[in-house]
Amino acid sequence: HYLARDIEQFKANLKHEHDIAIENLKADFAIQKTEHEVRFKKIHDAMADKLMALFALIQRSFNSMAIFVSPLDYSHEGTKQDKLKAAADSYNEMLRFTHDNRIYLTDEVFEVIDTFTQKVRNTIEDFSRSHTRAESGSSEDEAYWSRANNSIKNEVMPLFERIRHSLQEIIGVRPKPKY
């Protein structure tokens, strides 16, 4: 009879110790989960900030290029030379920031941005060369206006939109686009 009572007491103690160990384990997991969520949120927030800043630079570079190659010149925008400088400066800033923050980009997104930067650079360089020759009278090639417009419309703008959609997807702003 004492043996049965000792066994029951032992079982009760064992169950109590087991319950305490389970509760301690649950508490440890909850702490680890919270630490992981906080760390992930900080990383995600930092990544989102960098990607939003990158997109702002991409937007600025695109806009500066479009203003530079535009046939419409407004006096408050300065000369073509001023616009070329603004386009080159925004392009270089975008390029530096992209490479400095490469860690936040997937290979696919980086490749699209790299192609975009090449198209922007080529459009600016071709237009600048052709415009300089036309202004100096050494060339009568007027097709450079059309080439620049076609490059923006058919090459640069679609890449810009792919970048926008890709960055939005990464930061969770919109569902994955279908290309």
Side-chain angles (χ1 to χ4, degrees):
H1 178 42
Y2 292 113
L3 186 56
R5 201 173 6 160
D6 286 345
I7 290 175
E8 289 303 316
Q9 183 62 40
F10 178 74
K11 284 170 139 183
N13 287 343
L14 193 55
K15 179 168 180 3
H16 179 70
E17 289 174 11
H18 176 264
D19 290 345
I20 289 173
I22 292 292
E23 289 306 313
N24 286 339
L25 191 56
K26 285 179 181 178
D28 288 346
F29 283 150
I31 290 169
Q32 288 177 3
K33 179 183 176 203
T34 302
E35 288 173 350
H36 177 74
E37 287 172 355
V38 167
R39 192 172 345 167
F40 181 76
K41 182 175 177 355
K42 285 181 181 179
I43 291 169
H44 183 269
D45 289 349
M47 180 180 68
D49 289 345
K50 294 292 185 177
L51 294 179
M52 287 185 291
L54 173 60
F55 184 73
L57 293 171
I58 289 170
Q59 177 83 52
R60 189 176 315 138
S61 182
F62 177 82
N63 290 344
S64 296
M65 175 204 54
I67 289 169
F68 172 58
V69 302
S70 172
L72 300 174
D73 287 324
Y74 300 101
S75 59
H76 70 276
E77 294 174 338
T79 65
K80 279 292 186 205
Q81 205 56 34
D82 295 334
K83 293 176 191 179
L84 172 59
K85 181 177 179 351
D89 289 348
S90 63
Y91 171 85
N92 288 329
E93 185 180 3
M94 172 195 59
L95 202 59
R96 268 192 304 278
F97 192 88
T98 300
H99 287 277
D100 289 349
N101 294 282
R102 171 76 176 89
I103 190 75
Y104 297 108
L105 301 171
T106 64
D107 291 341
E108 179 185 334
V109 173
F110 182 77
E111 288 172 18
V112 174
I113 292 172
D114 188 54
T115 303
F116 172 83
T117 59
Q118 291 171 26
K119 298 293 182 184
V120 167
R121 184 185 64 241
N122 292 345
T123 301
I124 290 171
E125 288 176 349
D126 178 60
F127 184 86
S128 179
R129 255 190 324 271
S130 298
H131 185 70
T132 300
R133 287 184 197 134
E135 290 291 303
S136 70
S138 64
S139 172
E140 294 182 18
D141 175 21
E142 293 293 323
Y144 68 95
W145 294 97
S146 295
R147 283 194 310 271
N149 184 53
N150 289 337
S151 175
I152 290 171
K153 181 179 171 187
N154 300 324
E155 297 176 304
V156 179
M157 189 59 157
L159 290 166
F160 176 82
E161 287 302 316
R162 268 186 78 189
I163 292 167
R164 183 174 65 84
H165 291 159
S166 295
L167 295 179
Q168 286 175 325
E169 179 187 335
I170 290 170
I171 63 174
V173 173
R174 58 172 287 162
K176 186 174 182 174
K178 295 179 177 109
Y179 290 111

